[in-house]
Amino acid sequence: LAPLDDPQTVPEAVLTALGARETVVRSSAVEGLRAAADPTALDPLARLAELCADRRMLLVLDNCEHLIGAAAALAERLLADCPGVTVLATSREPLAVPGEVLRPVEPLPDPVALRLLADRGAAARPGFRVEDDRAACAEICRRLDGLPLAIELAAARLRLLSPRQIADRLDDRFRLLTSGSRTLLPRQQTLRAVVDWSWDLTDEPERAVLRRLSVFAGGCDLTAAEEVCAGGGVDGREVAGLLGSLIDKSLVVAAPAPDGQMRYRLLETVGEYAGERLDEAGERAGAERRHLVAYRELARTADPLLRGPGQRGWLARLGLEHDNLRTALRRAIAARDEHEALCLVLSMQWFWSLLDLRSEARQWSEAVGALGPDPFEPPVGPAPDLYESPIDRPPPLAPEQLQEARREVRLVALSSLETDVEALRSPRMERQVAGILAAYRSGMPQTCKVPGVLWFYAVMLSGSFDGVLDEVEKAVRACREFGYEWELAFVLQLRSKLLNDQPGGLEQAARDADESLRIFIRLGDTWGAAEALAGRGETREKRGEYGLAKQDYRAAMVHAEDLGAHGQTLLLRTRLAGVLIEEGQGETGERLLREVLAAARDQPSGREATPFAHLSLTTWLSVSGRTAEARDELLAVREAFGERAPELFRGVLESLLISLDLDEGRGDELPARFRSAAVLVRGTMARVVAPDLPVVHLLTGARVLTAVHGERGGWDAARLVGAYDALVSMQVPTLIVRRDRARAEAAARAALDDAAYARAYAEGGGLSLEEATALV
């Protein structure tokens, strides 16, 4: 936790360390259900507790003292909710949570301290041996209280001094170590004495670089060090050599990063010491400003490159620098530098989106939005057409770009509220949505680009679903007119997914996905290719073209794996399993689903695929007559999510459970349960991502009527079957829907003669969804 300085980021840091943050590829609009079913998306601590709940693990929290409250809250939550988790925390003070057992870290015993000195000394001076002057070496270790950092710094001096010279020098430099009982001295004072000694052995250029390095969080590469540490008598070309000298003195730690580049960092205590020296020199404002500019420019440079062949490399680069980027943002907000903060948030937005860091996007965008006036407060005038994004130039921004940047940051905040139902329904949010609709229109240059394209989210929130496809069509035409290639591919795959769930939309959905895929492949955008392939796979699946759908899902998996999106690969494997089941390979599909569930248990990111794999397995087990096993799978999902899940997801679970109860002859409160489920599956989200779902639910209603009322329910049951046939839009119903329709018709026919069934069925064909649902 040493690089962190914001308590709110502690759970996120642990999630990242556990591998639970990664690239997200959403394969279809229906899989908005997946994100919507994640109630912990905006509560990282809850997500962490859920991730660890069933695992047996040791979690090490190192360096907690500067974030003691957040670390204590995290440990207490995990200990309460995760019986298999043990927390090992290092801190300068206890966490003071129930169940804590304190283990004071004593100085290294003499033999171990000597072994450390021998090891580090031999690395610093080839041929060094403790045995050549054991007495002096033992004195060094003893008088440094066996503190590893102090011993390592002393070992580094063996390049200049003999062990006896070092031991004698301790008398001069560390008077605190010889005054009274050293074991009662505060640890910080002892370490300060060690660092004071090393500081005195440096020259002024080395000291300037060392103190300026303290503004970094989590280390830096050479380029960043040269940008931030130069100036005030230090030439940028000298920084590399000065870094080397500081490494030799053990004041800077160097280690290769995953990209092969060397990375430089300060040990925590050295960083604190260097920060104090930075303040004494009056250089903090300048160093922090250079740090802010360096990382603003990194983010600004990376943003367009996240949409091309270097996508994976830039994702890794920004991930490596995430602590520095957060620190730059925090400093801009603290200084109320709105221009810099806006530029940083808008430059980082696509990175957060690719990694599904919605809570982070929400936190930063709301904090930055609060720095200036709300651009959507009434009265709101129409925004001017802007062909240049606010982040295409560094601050300061021109007035019209500043206003557009403020709007776009609000759009980022709005889109990150995806599962926060209460926030979406608030009067404040209603005003925001109204302001967005007043400012933007489809076809504007900025509404073709990310994040301006997020204004479509406000259109859907307003309930204007009927006009969404028309607006997207205008966006497609505008992208062609402006020559925006990547944006055209993005809007096409968005429209493809919307059309996948609309009556008669599959032909155009397939054409849109094809064109989007061609553009993304030409541009080298792996994320886009995976999105287009997954969306086209869904189109083909809904048309019954199972062989082609399998090809698309498998190709999308290759792209997802290339991005390192392992959790998304599991989701795609779940969809592939569904296709195998639909085309008659039920055993193979079942085996694949069980493999997904097994992999998800061992893979933190696999938690996203788990509920959908359970649901897919439930439907297959139900269709194949294994009702008891199907119930176990369904209850596992309900137990995992329960009342925390959004309405649509809970409606799906309840509808499936009612169907299983009907299969087993259970009849407890079926009409009331059906009505409750009907309300849930007809909510706002269903109209966008699953318009056929409430229609399919009518088949369950038909079975409920005959189960509860027998022959008296047959007439209305037949009308519900007729209503289903008239209202359903899917070209090829799924296996379980075909099964449910057959059962609903059989139940109705069992209560009526053929003529009566035909009359009731025809009557049902003229009912609206609302009228048909009202029959139960």
Side-chain angles (χ1 to χ4, degrees):
L1 306 180
L4 307 183
D5 58 11
D6 183 352
Q8 294 184 22
T9 60
V10 172
E12 291 277 9
V14 179
L15 280 168
T16 300
L18 293 179
R21 292 300 194 194
E22 61 173 35
T23 310
V24 168
V25 180
R26 292 197 176 89
S27 61
S28 72
V30 171
E31 282 173 4
L33 275 171
R34 172 183 65 79
D38 185 0
T40 65
L42 300 177
D43 184 352
L45 185 53
R47 184 166 190 174
L48 178 62
E50 182 179 318
L51 172 68
C52 299
D54 298 322
R55 301 177 72 184
R56 182 173 181 270
M57 62 187 293
L58 172 68
L59 176 65
V60 182
L61 300 178
D62 195 23
N63 298 307
C64 298
E65 54 272 1
H66 61 305
L67 300 164
I68 195 72
L74 186 147
E76 184 170 14
R77 176 68 176 271
L78 292 186
L79 293 175
D81 292 357
C82 310
V85 174
T86 299
V87 177
L88 174 62
T90 74
S91 176
R92 296 179 189 176
E93 61 181 300
L95 298 186
V97 298
E100 183 176 28
V101 177
L102 299 182
R103 174 64 168 87
V105 180
E106 303 292 343
L108 293 178
D110 289 347
V112 180
L114 275 172
R115 191 159 71 244
L116 178 63
L117 181 62
D119 179 43
R120 298 298 190 266
R125 193 176 81 190
F128 168 76
R129 297 190 319 142
V130 165
E131 290 75 12
D132 292 341
D133 194 346
R134 179 172 288 275
C137 290
E139 183 179 344
I140 292 171
C141 293
R142 184 179 66 255
R143 295 182 65 190
L144 290 178
D145 290 332
L147 294 167
L149 174 61
I151 292 170
E152 291 197 10
L153 290 170
R157 303 285 72 75
L158 288 168
R159 298 187 184 95
L160 306 173
L161 304 169
S162 70
R164 175 44 53 195
Q165 287 177 305
I166 292 174
D168 292 342
R169 188 176 175 86
L170 287 175
D171 277 331
D172 269 345
R173 298 299 298 172
F174 300 134
R175 296 184 183 277
L176 288 174
L177 295 177
T178 59
S179 302
S181 174
R182 290 191 300 274
T183 61
L184 298 178
L185 291 174
R187 176 172 177 262
Q188 177 61 36
Q189 290 181 358
T190 304
L191 290 173
R192 182 181 300 280
V194 176
V195 183
D196 270 335
W197 173 45
S198 285
W199 177 267
D200 287 345
L201 294 177
T202 59
D203 57 26
E204 181 49 39
E206 289 172 337
R207 292 178 184 180
V209 170
L210 182 62
R211 61 182 178 250
R212 294 165 189 171
L213 284 173
S214 67
V215 302
F216 290 97
C220 63
D221 59 17
L222 180 58
T223 301
E226 289 171 335
E227 290 182 48
V228 174
C229 298
V234 177
D235 190 287
R237 294 168 294 183
E238 299 174 345
V239 171
L242 294 169
L243 273 175
S245 179
L246 292 169
I247 292 166
D248 288 342
K249 293 180 170 67
S250 294
L251 286 166
V252 174
V253 177
D259 62 1
Q261 299 294 314
M262 292 300 292
R263 197 158 180 83
Y264 310 97
R265 65 181 178 88
L266 301 182
L267 296 173
E268 181 185 4
T269 303
V270 176
E272 291 177 5
Y273 182 95
E276 292 181 7
R277 293 293 191 174
L278 186 71
D279 289 328
E280 290 174 5
E283 295 179 342
R284 179 169 295 280
E288 289 186 351
R289 176 65 188 172
R290 291 192 297 274
H291 178 275
L292 172 58
V293 170
Y295 285 97
R296 175 249 289 161
E297 285 303 290
L298 173 65
R300 216 167 61 86
T301 300
D303 178 62
L305 300 177
L306 289 172
R307 300 171 176 84
Q311 186 175 70
R312 184 169 187 177
W314 281 100
L315 276 171
R317 175 78 183 279
L318 293 181
L320 189 63
E321 298 292 1
H322 208 174
D323 287 327
N324 278 310
L325 290 161
R326 286 168 171 153
T327 297
L329 247 176
R330 192 173 296 110
R331 287 171 178 159
I333 292 170
R336 302 197 63 80
D337 191 333
E338 186 187 12
H339 288 232
E340 290 287 5
L342 287 167
C343 193
L344 270 165
V345 163
L346 294 178
S347 298
M348 291 292 291
Q349 183 272 333
W350 190 236
F351 169 75
W352 291 328
S353 179
L354 287 174
L355 295 187
D356 200 27
L357 296 173
R358 281 176 289 156
S359 60
E360 185 144 353
R362 179 184 183 182
Q363 172 192 341
W364 291 118
S365 57
E366 288 184 345
V368 172
L371 295 178
D374 186 344
F376 295 124
E377 278 292 315
V380 179
D385 287 359
L386 286 185
Y387 294 86
E388 184 182 69
S389 168
I391 63 172
D392 287 343
R393 68 167 81 174
L397 302 173
E400 66 276 8
Q401 286 187 311
L402 174 60
Q403 185 72 346
E404 180 59 29
R406 287 169 174 163
R407 291 192 179 106
E408 291 186 353
V409 163
R410 299 281 175 160
L411 288 175
V412 174
L414 176 68
S415 66
S416 67
L417 292 171
E418 189 170 347
T419 60
D420 194 338
V421 177
E422 293 305 315
L424 291 174
R425 291 175 176 170
S426 68
R428 175 178 173 273
M429 189 53 60
E430 289 177 359
R431 290 194 300 272
Q432 287 280 295
V433 168
I436 292 168
L437 296 179
Y440 289 119
R441 67 186 186 282
S442 191
M444 299 173 69
Q446 59 263 52
T447 60
C448 295
K449 299 181 178 182
V450 175
V453 73
L454 295 174
W455 88 282
F456 285 112
Y457 192 66
V459 175
M460 288 189 286
L461 285 177
S462 71
S464 305
F465 303 105
D466 296 337
V468 169
L469 287 173
D470 289 339
E471 299 298 338
V472 177
E473 169 60 29
K474 293 176 186 175
V476 170
R477 290 199 302 268
C479 287
R480 297 189 195 280
E481 178 186 343
F482 301 141
Y484 293 166
E485 275 199 300
W486 186 92
E487 289 78 9
L488 174 61
F490 180 90
V491 176
L492 284 170
Q493 61 84 25
L494 173 64
R495 185 170 70 173
S496 173
K497 291 170 185 173
L498 290 172
L499 289 170
N500 274 337
D501 297 306
Q502 302 304 314
L506 294 181
E507 294 295 331
Q508 185 62 48
R511 289 193 292 270
D512 285 350
D514 285 338
E515 185 177 2
S516 175
L517 179 61
R518 288 195 298 271
I519 296 173
F520 278 132
I521 289 177
R522 184 171 70 251
L523 297 177
D525 190 308
T526 302
W527 172 87
E531 284 282 337
L533 281 164
R536 190 175 71 178
E538 185 194 0
T539 304
R540 289 171 163 176
E541 181 182 351
K542 291 190 173 188
R543 293 166 67 174
E545 298 170 346
Y546 299 127
L548 294 174
K550 288 190 296 185
Q551 291 178 18
D552 281 342
Y553 289 143
R554 285 175 174 140
M557 285 183 218
V558 172
H559 289 291
E561 281 296 319
D562 185 51
L563 276 178
H566 308 302
Q568 301 307 308
T569 302
L570 292 179
L571 276 169
L572 290 164
R573 288 175 68 190
T574 301
R575 293 198 66 90
L576 175 61
V579 173
L580 291 169
I581 290 171
E582 291 297 325
E583 69 172 359
Q585 300 184 57
E587 292 182 0
T588 305
E590 178 182 345
R591 183 168 61 252
L592 183 55
L593 287 171
R594 294 193 185 280
E595 289 174 0
V596 168
L597 289 170
R601 283 193 290 271
D602 301 325
Q603 187 172 306
S605 56
R607 62 184 299 280
E608 303 284 359
T610 299
F612 297 94
H614 276 302
L615 286 178
S616 298
L617 189 54
T618 296
T619 58
W620 163 242
L621 293 171
S622 176
V623 168
S624 57
R626 294 145 69 184
T627 309
E629 292 180 65
R631 182 180 296 278
D632 289 341
E633 291 295 329
L634 190 57
L635 292 178
V637 182
R638 194 167 72 168
E639 183 178 352
F641 290 94
E643 292 303 312
R644 299 174 300 136
E647 294 176 351
L648 179 58
F649 195 77
R650 286 188 282 123
V652 172
L653 296 181
E654 183 60 19
S655 183
L656 287 171
L657 194 57
I658 292 171
S659 182
L660 290 177
D661 286 345
L662 288 165
D663 291 346
E664 295 183 333
R666 303 184 185 188
D668 297 339
E669 301 180 348
L670 287 176
R673 290 170 58 198
F674 173 87
R675 287 193 293 271
S676 297
V679 171
L680 295 175
V681 300
R682 292 179 61 202
T684 298
M685 186 179 297
R687 297 182 63 185
V688 182
V689 301
D692 269 332
L693 192 57
V695 179
V696 171
H697 191 55
L698 296 178
L699 299 175
T700 305
R703 296 180 66 201
V704 167
L705 285 174
T706 54
V708 174
H709 299 295
E711 292 185 9
R712 289 192 301 110
W715 183 272
D716 283 341
R719 291 204 289 175
L720 288 177
V721 175
Y724 163 80
D725 284 348
L727 295 170
V728 72
S729 64
M730 65 179 79
Q731 283 188 13
V732 182
T734 61
L735 187 62
I736 192 168
V737 172
R738 297 198 302 272
R739 192 280 309 264
D740 286 350
R741 192 208 173 282
R743 289 188 175 187
E745 179 177 346
R749 285 188 180 278
L752 304 171
D753 59 36
D754 288 346
Y757 177 83
R759 290 196 305 274
Y761 175 87
E763 193 175 305
L767 298 177
S768 67
L769 177 60
E770 290 74 16
E771 291 168 336
T773 305
L775 294 178
V776 187

